[in-house]
Amino acid sequence: MTKRRSSHWYGKLDKDGFIHRSWMKNQGFPDHAFDGRPIIGICNTWSELTPCNSGLRDLAEGVKRGVWEAGGFPVEFPVMSLGETQMKPTAMLFRNLLAMDVEESIRAYGIDGVVLLGGCDKTTPGQLMGAASVDLPSIVVSSGPMLNGKFKGQDIGSGTDVWKFSEAVRAGEMTLADFMGAESGMSRSKGVCMTMGTASTMASIVEAMGMALPTNAALPAVDARRMALAHLTGKRIVEMVEEDLKPSDVLTKDAFINGILANAAVGGSTNAVVHLLALAGRVGVDLTLKDFEVASDVPLLVNCMPSGKYLMEDFCYAGGIPAVLAEIKHLLRPAKTVLGGDIAAYHDGAEVFNRDVIHAFDAPVKPAAGLRVLRGNLAPDGAIVKPSAATDALLEHEGPAYVFENIEDLKANIDREDLPVTPDTILVLKGCGPKGYPGMPEVGNMPIPAKLVKDGVRDMIRVSDARMSGTAFGTVILHVAPEAQAGGPLALVKTGDRIRVSASGGTLDLLVDDAALEERRAAWQADAPYYTRGYAKMYVDHVLQANEGADLDFLVGKDTRLVTRESH
Ligand code: FES
């Protein structure tokens, strides 16, 4: 039998073994914790500054129970935590830093397997990317969603209703007092956004890809069954170490396709695209934007905000991801899961308990609702749009551009009474891609100009190199690549240019002739970088474009070698 990885730290009878064991014993661990049993790292993104992950300390205790029960030795360690609603300029700037933290922590310590405790948007992909680059047996336990928001007797959803309330205040349809009052009712328990935002999207995809136990995505954060799931996950990771079942065994191309199919069926976040592309780069799976087109015709089955009307608690009680997988089982590819068997085991016998929440495949909430990839002379390397959250009539449209050169320009001018825009105008925002902002923030769903909001306009086409929150909605064309700051054609758009969008045709075109564009290009200059030192500088210097997952170029791939040099 090959020696366990942890034995290189704790199995030695020399000075090094003494030092590794002795210092750990200051926490009261007995001798038999070092008897060669699997040592399981619990990689925790708990933080009071990441409220969505504030329940993870409790769940870590559940994992530990399971690890001890199965004969392992659990050790919890912290990594950087990314609080989506709290970080500036954007948590996405730090996803790759978290991934580096996770990767190097796993590699440097004497553990045999790892349980990833994450939840808030960037924590799940960041942890998975890091773990995949070391490729020890790994499994995810998610925070789980908050309970449904409540305000004045109505259910309200994280993010989605914030945008709606904000527009209602601007339109004079909601009082500021009510707006402030909704704050407390929206977030009334621990957990992630309870809409199908990026956190629940990523948890759903992770479950559909077989990297977490069934039901992980939807169980509310405070549901006792999530604690039981954490316990079972702790048991399972010990077995996974015995079986040497690694992320590279689970994260195959077929698993990615299953994740993409599930994302379409649940009406998941556009952010899944950059995260899956980055994760694929870590495990060496050849995944491109084109692969997302496999799900273009998948119908929307889950009636949750922002694409529908219910919330994650309702989704859980209606059957959750196992029920969704059962509805799309004819599309799923055979793929191994962390349980060791096929993904089919995740949905065998699954039932739907509320058909208004989880629709049947042949009676969907919306047909053909998967993300659309758009290409054309405005986005040579691609852009995406989420039809399930868009206005159908705007998905085929031609109109004049109104250009905001950067986010400051947008904020200063969007509500000007004399802004020359009509509902036909296509709003364009530059400078919000990976290099430009930097960090590719969630500002692609620009507010509707105040003068149009007052006229009842609630949606317009918006085009940018930014992302948008998974909780947002609208006909928003995102992730335009190459971005403006990298010299993509987006940088050359001027107010008054005509733009043509065809979601059905998969095109996004700037109707300006090539000679005029060349003239503009000759006069174009990138903005001077805002950050000139530190991690942010390294990020800007090395970040890949959105169509490549916005990972850092030198982080693509993995290194599974055991570190053999000691520090003492
Ligand atoms: Fe953390 Fe939505 S802000 S999950």
Side-chain angles (χ1 to χ4, degrees):
M1 179 184 139
T2 50
K3 271 172 61 175
R4 236 187 259 299
R5 184 176 187 273
S6 57
S7 71
H8 296 276
W9 279 256
Y10 305 108
K12 298 197 281 190
L13 300 179
D14 58 6
K15 165 185 66 79
D16 294 333
F18 178 108
I19 290 171
H20 292 311
R21 286 185 301 273
S22 178
W23 265 257
M24 288 293 280
K25 284 181 177 177
N26 86 350
Q27 300 169 84
F29 295 124
D31 284 343
H32 72 261
F34 306 97
D35 63 3
R37 63 187 57 214
I39 300 188
I40 305 299
I42 301 173
C43 175
N44 203 340
T45 52
W46 173 91
S47 165
E48 286 181 337
L49 286 168
T50 306
C52 315
N53 293 9
S54 60
L56 291 179
R57 264 187 174 169
D58 296 340
L59 290 181
E61 293 308 314
V63 174
K64 287 177 190 174
R65 290 180 199 167
V67 172
W68 283 120
E69 183 188 344
F73 171 19
V75 281
E76 184 182 353
F77 63 95
V79 285
M80 185 180 194
S81 191
L82 309 179
E84 190 68 29
T85 52
Q86 314 297 316
M87 297 186 93
K88 294 184 179 187
T90 167
M92 180 65 176
L93 177 61
F94 307 108
R95 181 200 66 181
N96 301 337
L97 184 58
L98 166 62
M100 290 169 82
D101 186 354
V102 171
E103 175 179 346
E104 301 306 340
S105 295
I106 294 173
R107 182 176 292 115
Y109 285 115
I111 56 180
D112 300 300
V114 63
V115 179
L116 305 170
L117 296 188
C120 194
D121 298 10
K122 308 301 176 293
T123 56
T124 301
Q127 285 183 298
L128 271 173
M129 288 160 64
S133 284
V134 193
D135 207 25
L136 295 188
S138 305
I139 189 169
V140 171
V141 177
S142 302
S143 295
M146 290 187 260
L147 296 175
N148 286 4
K150 299 281 179 187
F151 181 62
K152 291 197 163 179
Q154 304 289 319
D155 279 3
I156 57 172
S158 315
T160 306
D161 278 316
V162 181
W163 320 130
K164 287 188 175 154
F165 292 164
S166 167
E167 298 288 88
V169 171
R170 293 168 75 228
E173 295 163 358
M174 184 179 197
T175 66
L176 196 56
D178 272 357
F179 185 67
M180 307 301 279
E183 269 180 25
S184 309
M186 183 167 284
S187 307
R188 62 192 187 88
S189 82
K190 290 177 178 172
V192 300
C193 294
M194 85 306 272
T195 44
M196 188 56 82
T198 304
S200 288
T201 295
M202 292 310 297
S204 297
I205 289 175
V206 161
E207 187 175 330
M209 293 175 81
M211 276 302 295
L213 294 185
T215 73
N216 172 65
L219 280 171
V222 295
D223 193 309
R225 290 171 292 178
R226 181 163 291 280
M227 189 67 167
L229 184 104
H231 184 136
L232 293 172
T233 303
K235 278 186 74 179
R236 180 60 197 152
I237 187 66
V238 175
E239 295 163 0
M240 286 172 67
V241 169
E242 304 289 2
E243 296 163 16
D244 196 26
L245 179 57
K246 303 183 294 296
S248 55
D249 300 314
V250 175
L251 296 174
T252 58
K253 178 80 179 256
D254 286 335
F256 278 92
I257 298 299
N258 289 342
I260 290 168
L261 293 166
N263 185 46
V266 302
S269 163
T270 47
N271 289 321
V273 177
V274 279
H275 298 324
L276 288 180
L277 289 169
L279 180 59
R282 297 303 187 101
V283 287
V285 164
D286 178 24
L287 192 77
T288 67
L289 273 182
K290 186 141 189 58
D291 289 305
F292 287 80
E293 291 170 356
V294 72
S296 293
D297 292 333
V298 172
L300 174 67
L301 303 182
V302 176
N303 194 5
C304 274
M305 292 184 198
S307 300
K309 63 179 179 182
Y310 292 101
L311 296 168
M312 288 300 291
E313 210 184 324
D314 309 305
F315 178 48
C316 174
Y317 305 149
I321 289 296
V324 173
L325 295 180
E327 291 296 331
I328 60 169
K329 65 183 177 191
H330 56 292
L331 301 175
L332 294 176
R333 309 240 176 123
K336 192 180 248 189
T337 73
V338 286
L339 284 176
D342 186 74
I343 188 68
Y346 278 41
H347 59 72
D348 278 349
E351 285 182 69
V352 175
F353 303 107
N354 185 335
R355 274 295 181 197
D356 200 31
V357 178
I358 302 175
H359 285 223
F361 190 85
D362 51 9
V365 181
K366 206 169 184 179
L371 299 177
R372 294 295 153 91
V373 178
L374 308 179
R375 283 192 192 76
N377 70 344
L378 187 49
D381 293 336
I384 57 170
V385 66
K386 180 178 176 181
S388 67
T391 303
D392 287 342
L394 289 174
L395 289 170
E396 311 293 325
H397 182 77
E398 183 188 315
Y402 185 88
V403 176
F404 298 101
E405 293 295 330
N406 51 46
I407 194 72
E408 287 77 21
D409 184 12
L410 171 80
K411 288 193 171 164
N413 293 300
I414 189 76
D415 286 342
R416 256 177 40 211
E417 276 302 319
D418 63 344
L419 199 72
V421 293
T422 72
D424 273 346
T425 302
I426 295 179
L427 301 179
V428 174
L429 174 61
K430 303 178 184 175
C432 296
K435 288 179 186 293
Y437 203 74
M440 208 183 173
E442 296 182 335
V443 296
N445 54 319
M446 296 162 240
I448 304 297
K451 66 182 241 187
L452 298 180
V453 170
K454 284 182 199 139
D455 293 343
V457 177
R458 290 293 181 272
D459 195 12
M460 297 170 72
I461 297 188
R462 288 154 273 178
V463 178
S464 74
D465 45 14
R467 297 175 303 114
M468 78 170 175
S469 165
T471 62
F473 54 91
T475 313
V476 186
I477 296 169
L478 301 153
H479 308 192
V480 169
E483 64 173 299
Q485 178 71 356
L490 185 69
L492 310 179
V493 185
K494 290 188 169 172
T495 292
D497 289 348
R498 293 192 74 78
I499 292 175
R500 188 188 298 137
V501 177
S502 171
S504 63
T507 56
L508 177 63
D509 287 305
L510 178 61
L511 306 180
V512 175
D513 66 55
D514 291 347
L517 288 178
E518 276 318 307
E519 217 170 284
R520 292 183 195 178
R521 178 167 298 288
W524 176 80
Q525 274 193 322
D527 291 338
Y530 179 81
Y531 294 99
T532 55
R533 61 169 299 284
Y535 167 77
K537 174 170 174 20
M538 181 173 78
Y539 175 93
V540 170
D541 289 348
H542 291 279
V543 71
L544 299 169
Q545 289 294 287
N547 59 304
E548 298 172 299
D551 201 357
L552 302 186
D553 51 12
F554 59 86
L555 292 175
V556 173
K558 59 188 168 191
D559 180 355
T560 61
R561 293 172 299 172
L562 181 72
V563 180
T564 53
R565 292 184 174 177
E566 297 277 354
S567 64
H568 28 261

